[in-house]
Amino acid sequence: MKIDSCAVDPLTGWPAAKVTITNRTDQESNYMATIEFVEADGTRVGTGLAAENNLKAGQKARTTAQGLQKAGTGMRCKIASVTRYPSP
């Protein structure tokens, strides 16, 4: 998983991270990731979730993790956790 962009919406003030999830396994899988939104001074403003289901082996998906708390312009995004589990 990688963060492609990290920005604050000028209208709402909410942070968002566009992410790419890549299934690097040999089986169809589901992914859930938590993205942390952090101010320049290190203060955590919140988190957002990114999820994709039924990603085939080698397949990529682009999605967005959206925060729901206002963030400043110096905010950055980081991957807090990623969980993968096989599709049923």
Side-chain angles (χ1 to χ4, degrees):
M1 165 177 257
K2 74 173 188 156
I3 295 174
D4 298 315
S5 68
C6 179
V8 176
D9 184 288
L11 186 61
T12 64
W14 292 352
K18 294 188 189 252
V19 299
T20 299
I21 299 170
T22 304
N23 182 356
R24 299 185 191 281
T25 71
D26 60 355
Q27 60 183 325
E28 192 170 309
S29 299
N30 300 324
Y31 289 83
M32 173 75 71
T34 301
I35 305 298
E36 214 172 42
F37 303 110
V38 182
E39 294 285 4
D41 68 358
T43 303
R44 182 173 144 176
V45 219
T47 59
L49 296 176
E52 279 299 324
N53 292 320
N54 305 316
L55 223 56
K56 296 189 184 332
Q59 189 175 25
K60 293 181 181 183
R62 291 191 179 104
T63 189
T64 301
Q66 178 72 58
L68 300 175
Q69 306 236 341
K70 292 199 183 257
T73 55
M75 185 265 324
R76 60 186 168 87
C77 302
K78 66 182 205 176
I79 298 168
S81 67
V82 178
T83 303
R84 181 196 69 81
Y85 50 96
S87 296

